[in-house]
Amino acid sequence: MQTEKEAEDDAPPEEYVGLSDFTASGEDELSFCSGDKLHVLSKSSSDWWWAELRGVKGYVPASYLRPEGAEEDPWQDEEYFGSYGTLTLHLEMLSDRSRTEAYRQVVLSNSASLRDKVVMDLGCGTGIISLFCAQLAQPSVVYAVEASSMADYTRQLVKQNGCEEVVTVLQGRAEEIELPERVDVLVSEWMGNCLLFEFMVESVLLARDRWLREGGIMWPSSAALTMVPCQADRYFSEKMAFWEQPYGLDFTPLQPLAQQEFFTKPKFSYLIEPADCLSAPSDVLCFNMYKLQIKDLEEMSAQFQFCVERPGVFHGFTAWFTVHFESLEKGGTAVELNTGPDSEPTHWKQTLFMLDKPVCVCAGDSIGGAVVLRRNPVWRRHMSITLNWSINSSTEETDDSQVGTKTFPMWR
Ligand SMILES: N=C(N)NC/C=C/[C@H]1O[C@@H](n2cnc3c(N)ncnc32)[C@H](O)[C@@H]1O
């Protein structure tokens, strides 16, 4: 095995740029800031490279770097579709029974109406929804569109399950591929954390405008982002209270660091208990998938007014989403996939937004305010969420800790 020194002598250094800040956590690691130009001296492993910055050498995480000069793709498609070319994410989604059964139920309950229909499964992944269509109904054709390298395996799965007569797998981005005809049904599982993260919904809208025939069906047909003010004792004690007295020592000087590290960004995959909800939840944003336009996604805002139903600590807000699949049959019942705390947990769980300072609230208090989602103008799969709130206590007079505002990057 070559040492770093030997490897270093072999290859000329390559110029890389830091994509974001990195703080070394081992003495052989090298810290750098976003934008720093590093010389990569050897790539001894795929994850950690031996690099030099301003005369100092050390290991750096390869995922934090991009080659100097390589234009950074605002959609980060190489990384995005690369991640879907491996099984991890597909296993997570397929293991999510609540999510996958909901799509199965949609096909099953619309089986008769799907006969002879033309279906597009956008971002089919392993093809599970397309296979449900071929297995549980008799569509004339399902165009299973998948941009990642998983498409090769999807073709094998279609053949393996005897569905090649009905399912045609097309590898490519839904925005770019050519279909031989318009479709009657556009089905997709596009929802990201907080409903919109990854902004795959843009691809769904482009495909709708290009391939859905007049009067065609969108599945999901509608989507709603739901929020609620909540208590998050477990998370707060794990990440913040912990520093009060670990092993009898006072580590509170670390609390500003904990604030920065754990409460600045939203916490994905947080499972909130119904009892943690301080009030009834509210659908702050609702999307009609037939009318929604891409330009509507740049900035979305809503007011809210929560009436506190139980005394507790207002640690922050929790968000989740619900999507509906309208029935193909007139008057048929819609299928609902609800990712909230009162439903079967999904792989998304919920998203927690922690305030800087928790506030005690009493039943009868009201928490009014607004939420603004702003899509990142450069990094098109990212957004920020700004929350403004004011607490009108039914008992105490209003002082400054009753009003607040905080913006959370997701992730840029
Ligand atoms: N539900 C979440 N979060 N992720 C959904 C799952 C995303 C799947 O859809 C594929 N995909 C995403 N966008 C496109 C596109 N524009 N064209 C073709 N395939 C696409 C990804 O490669 C994943 O396999």
Side-chain angles (χ1 to χ4, degrees):
M1 169 70 173
Q2 267 189 330
T3 65
E4 297 308 346
K5 185 83 188 64
E6 285 154 5
E8 188 180 309
D9 296 343
D10 291 357
E14 292 175 65
E15 284 259 300
Y16 276 80
V17 181
L19 276 173
S20 57
D21 297 355
F22 170 68
T23 307
S25 56
E27 78 290 340
D28 60 352
E29 291 178 10
L30 176 63
S31 298
F32 57 85
C33 300
S34 170
D36 275 346
K37 281 193 177 49
L38 297 97
H39 290 132
V40 171
L41 306 169
S42 80
K43 298 178 180 175
S44 36
S45 91
S46 60
D47 299 336
W48 291 90
W49 292 346
W50 182 248
E52 179 265 333
L53 174 63
R54 294 188 279 275
V56 182
K57 293 178 183 176
Y59 284 102
V60 295
S63 62
Y64 278 61
L65 302 173
R66 69 166 168 78
E68 163 69 340
E71 282 317 300
E72 187 53 23
D73 165 17
W75 283 90
Q76 302 165 284
D77 275 353
E78 193 172 326
E79 176 191 344
Y80 181 73
F81 292 122
S83 68
Y84 283 112
T86 60
L87 279 181
T88 303
L89 291 173
H90 296 289
L91 179 58
E92 182 185 35
M93 292 190 283
L94 290 169
S95 306
D96 179 345
R97 295 196 60 81
S98 178
R99 160 206 178 268
T100 309
E101 288 290 354
Y103 278 83
R104 188 172 186 283
Q105 184 55 38
V106 173
V107 175
L108 203 52
S109 57
N110 289 283
S111 168
S113 304
L114 278 169
R115 175 178 290 281
D116 302 331
K117 290 289 191 308
V118 176
V119 180
M120 175 183 193
D121 176 2
L122 195 164
C124 67
T126 54
I128 181 77
I129 298 171
S130 299
L131 293 172
F132 285 159
C133 289
Q135 183 197 40
L136 306 170
Q138 287 76 34
S140 73
V141 59
V142 181
Y143 296 111
V145 180
E146 173 54 46
S148 77
S149 56
M150 186 54 64
D152 293 331
Y153 290 96
T154 311
R155 271 190 201 95
Q156 292 179 42
L157 297 176
V158 166
K159 193 170 177 55
Q160 184 75 16
N161 290 279
C163 298
E164 62 272 44
E165 293 303 306
V166 172
V167 180
T168 303
V169 177
L170 301 162
Q171 175 157 13
R173 289 191 53 166
E175 302 86 321
E176 287 146 13
I177 47 104
E178 289 296 327
L179 296 184
E181 58 191 316
R182 282 184 168 254
V183 301
D184 301 303
V185 178
L186 199 173
V187 61
S188 178
E189 194 283 77
W190 53 266
M191 300 78 74
N193 280 289
C194 247
L195 180 62
L196 295 168
F197 181 61
E198 296 179 40
F199 280 90
M200 182 179 163
V201 63
E202 170 161 335
S203 307
V204 173
L205 299 182
L206 285 168
R208 174 199 68 190
D209 297 346
R210 188 167 172 209
W211 296 114
L212 189 64
R213 70 159 178 72
E214 197 58 36
I217 295 290
M218 291 290 287
W219 276 343
S221 323
S222 66
L225 181 70
T226 307
M227 296 194 80
V228 73
C230 69
Q231 193 153 286
D233 262 332
R234 187 177 80 239
Y235 192 65
F236 186 82
S237 49
E238 265 171 29
K239 305 294 185 191
M240 189 55 73
F242 173 81
W243 309 103
E244 298 287 344
Q245 214 175 14
Y247 309 99
L249 296 165
D250 177 351
F251 272 31
T252 50
L254 289 178
Q255 289 189 320
L257 209 56
Q259 169 74 46
Q260 169 65 25
E261 204 160 315
F262 304 124
F263 295 175
T264 302
K265 294 186 173 180
K267 165 77 180 130
F268 276 178
S269 304
Y270 185 79
L271 205 57
I272 186 168
E273 307 293 330
D276 290 332
C277 298
L278 293 167
S279 76
S282 164
D283 289 355
V284 291
L285 292 173
C286 297
F287 301 100
N288 175 332
M289 294 306 289
Y290 297 94
K291 295 191 167 53
L292 181 62
Q293 298 300 313
I294 292 172
K295 63 181 183 319
D296 302 337
L297 299 169
E298 288 311 307
E299 180 168 310
M300 301 154 274
S301 59
Q303 312 278 323
F304 52 70
Q305 188 73 33
F306 296 105
C307 181
V308 177
E309 292 172 352
R310 58 169 66 106
V313 181
F314 173 35
H315 283 113
F317 292 91
T318 296
W320 64 86
F321 64 84
T322 301
V323 288
H324 283 92
F325 304 81
E326 65 175 306
S327 168
L328 284 177
E329 277 109 18
K330 284 281 157 278
T333 44
V335 173
E336 175 184 276
L337 170 57
N338 184 323
T339 65
D342 291 327
S343 303
E344 188 68 31
T346 67
H347 77 283
W348 291 282
K349 297 186 183 117
Q350 290 89 37
T351 303
L352 173 64
F353 297 86
M354 287 296 273
L355 308 186
D356 291 347
K357 285 282 163 288
V359 183
C360 288
V361 287
C362 312
D365 289 357
S366 80
I367 301 172
V371 55
V372 184
L373 278 70
R374 284 188 189 81
R375 193 170 176 188
N376 189 308
V378 176
W379 302 103
R380 301 306 280 153
R381 295 192 184 278
H382 299 253
M383 63 179 159
S384 70
I385 293 98
T386 300
L387 286 160
N388 309 300
W389 65 92
S390 69
I391 304 168
N392 300 310
S393 169
S394 49
T395 52
E396 290 126 45
E397 72 296 334
T398 304
D399 62 37
D400 59 7
S401 69
Q402 306 299 314
V403 178
T405 181
K406 185 167 179 180
T407 295
F408 299 81
M410 191 186 286
W411 295 118
R412 295 183 180 190

